[in-house]
Every structure is written in structure tokens, then in C-alpha cells.
Amino acid sequence: MIDKRPDGRKFEEMRKIEGKVGIVKRADGSAMFKIGDTVAIAAVHGPRVLHPRFLQDPQKGVLRCNYDMATFSVSDRKKPGPSRRSTEISLVTEKSLLPVLDLSMYPSSVIDVFIEITQANAGTRCAGIVAASMALAHAGIPMKDLVSAISVGKVGGRVVVDLDKEEEDLESFGGPTDIPIAYTPKNGEFTLLQLDGNITKEEFIEALKLGRESCKQIQKEQERALKEVYKEKGK
Ligand code: UDP
């Protein structure tokens, strides 16, 4: 087993986080979330009437998420445009956010969420969900809770929080295990849980426990960033 992580962090320690709200002027709501070198920007457009009309649901609104990694976000230029990976991440992002929204308030409408990863060093889907959740709140859409997200897992035989790219690439001790989770701290629900790799039941429970604690810290930062905007408005 390894006794320290490549970047010197403690096993249960996530990278430095920072949130900022209101960074895309023309969007109805927007936010940035940074975790280490991973940076996600989210912009919300809507709710507005959904066109073409055959896509409308007269009972409730539709949430559409679009995740994209910028070509310049990684050192090996990323091929532009959608991919199977981005389609999957867009879909799981929607599923992570839906439980906190009441779309029956917006019949025949759409809420579009665009997520752009401008810097990627692992954990981008989680950073995107955190930014999107803040952007939805900034757009004034009523939410039951803010969704927080982090990747947990196993590196070098140890249960860890927030794997970076170097750790995701470590092949020793059976390779890494990556478990991105999204969590709503107020009602204690997991809204995303994916798993890539191997883990025992005990380690899995331990990883989720650590992830929950990190999500609580992330939610504090989300709230701080949102309050910042209203402080400025009040001036
Ligand atoms: N990555 C990359 N090029 C790609 C896709 C991913 O360099 O086309 C890197 C990027 O740093 C990303 C990491 O691989 O954060 C891990 O990607 P994964 O699919 O596991 O999703 P993530 O951890 O970002 O949610």
C-alpha cells in the first residue's frame, strides 16, 4: 500500500476548491467551480418555451445538460465536438440534478445547462455538476438542495477522495478505482454513483463516507459563492 499520495495530500483530503457565481453575463444564471487544476464553467438559459413544439411536455419542463471539454483543457489537444463520453456525462449530469428540481412549475418549457470544462485534471463530471447546481440557483430556479459532487475511490490500495489525473493513471496495486458521486447534503441522498475499477464492500462504504464529508464542504463553498452575489447586489 502507498503511504502518501503523489501530490502529498492526505487520503481523505480533496484539492483546493473555489466557487464563483455570475461569470457569464448573457446567461440567466452562471457559475464557475475549480477543484485543483480542474475548472468547470456552467451557464443556464431558461426556463423558456421549448421548440420544436413536439418536444414539449405540457405537464412539466425539460432539463437539458450539455457537457463539453474544451480542446485546450488538456495538454494533448482534445478532439472538438461531442463524443460518447460527453453524451454519457451530459446524461448523468441531468440525472444528478433532476431530483432537486420541480419541473412541474415549467410546463412546455426547457432549462438548458451548458457546461464547459476549460481545464481538466480528472474529476470534471463532478466539477461540472457542482458548477451547474450553482448556476441553476443563480438563475433563480427553486431547488430543494444544492447538489455537490466529488470523485472517491482507491489509489495504491488506499481509499481516497478526489483522484487527480496522475492518480487515475497509476497502474500499481491493481489500478485505480474511480467512483464519481453526487450528493444532496440536506436530505442525504446520492443522485449520482458510477464505479470504474474494483473495491470491497467495506472500502466502498468507507469511500462513500469520506465523499459525503467532502460534499458537505463543497456545499459550504457553493453557498458562500451564491451569497457573495447577493452581498454585491445589496451594495
Ligand atoms: N481526459 C483527456 N482527454 C479526453 C478525456 C479525458 O485528457 O478526451 C482526461 C481529463 O483530464 C479528465 C480525465 O481524463 O479529467 C478523466 O476522465 P474521465 O472520463 O474519468 O472523467 P472525469 O474524471 O473528468 O469526470
Side-chain angles (χ1 to χ4, degrees):
M1 275 202 268
I2 53 164
D3 36 60
K4 63 176 195 229
R5 297 176 73 174
D7 66 356
R9 271 185 292 152
K10 293 189 199 124
F11 299 117
E12 71 285 5
E13 187 181 344
M14 61 182 164
R15 292 171 285 179
K16 196 166 167 277
I17 56 168
E18 187 192 339
K20 195 162 169 46
V21 165
I23 54 161
V24 181
K25 210 173 151 199
R26 299 218 183 281
D28 294 306
S30 62
M32 181 279 304
F33 184 70
K34 185 170 190 282
I35 181 156
D37 291 332
T38 291
V39 180
I41 291 174
V44 170
H45 293 270
R48 57 193 161 83
V49 177
L50 176 56
H51 288 292
R53 284 180 67 171
F54 75 87
L55 291 175
Q56 291 180 1
D57 182 342
Q59 307 299 327
K60 60 177 174 25
V62 172
L63 177 72
R64 274 195 311 215
C65 293
N66 188 79
Y67 164 102
D68 180 57
M69 247 176 74
T71 49
F72 52 81
S73 62
V74 277
S75 42
D76 286 345
R77 178 179 179 273
K78 190 221 152 243
K79 193 168 163 255
S83 60
R84 281 179 63 167
R85 178 179 174 272
S86 68
T87 305
E88 175 214 319
I89 297 180
S90 300
L91 204 74
V92 298
T93 301
E94 261 165 43
K95 286 185 184 290
S96 317
L97 297 168
L98 275 171
V100 299
L101 302 174
D102 178 7
L103 294 178
S104 65
M105 294 171 72
Y106 308 111
S108 306
S109 303
V110 61
I111 300 172
D112 275 309
V113 183
F114 295 94
I115 297 162
E116 190 67 32
I117 305 301
T118 55
Q119 275 179 220
N121 183 354
T124 62
R125 75 194 64 202
C126 294
I129 291 166
V130 175
S133 171
M134 286 194 282
L136 285 164
H138 182 229
I141 292 159
M143 295 163 79
K144 292 176 202 140
D145 197 356
L146 282 164
V147 183
S148 303
I150 190 97
S151 157
V152 292
K154 239 175 96 180
V155 171
R158 298 278 192 174
V159 173
V160 298
V161 168
D162 186 27
L163 286 74
D164 62 19
K165 184 74 177 120
E166 194 180 345
E167 291 178 318
E168 278 199 359
D169 291 342
L170 277 180
E171 286 304 332
S172 53
F173 302 94
T177 302
D178 184 18
I179 313 172
I181 61 163
Y183 182 67
T184 55
K186 295 215 163 61
N187 62 8
E189 253 180 43
F190 288 97
T191 63
L192 167 77
L193 206 158
Q194 295 184 288
L195 194 155
D196 189 12
N198 298 311
I199 196 157
T200 65
K201 187 177 160 191
E202 290 70 30
E203 288 166 341
F204 180 68
I205 292 167
E206 168 69 5
L208 289 191
K209 212 192 269 174
L210 295 180
R212 258 198 320 241
E213 287 314 306
S214 299
C215 282
K216 286 182 194 162
Q217 290 173 39
I218 292 172
Q219 190 176 69
K220 283 203 184 108
E221 178 60 10
Q222 290 174 298
E223 287 174 350
R224 188 205 60 75
L226 281 158
K227 283 180 189 158
E228 205 64 36
V229 178
Y230 296 102
K231 247 192 244 166
E232 277 166 26
K233 273 192 180 158
K235 274 183 195 164

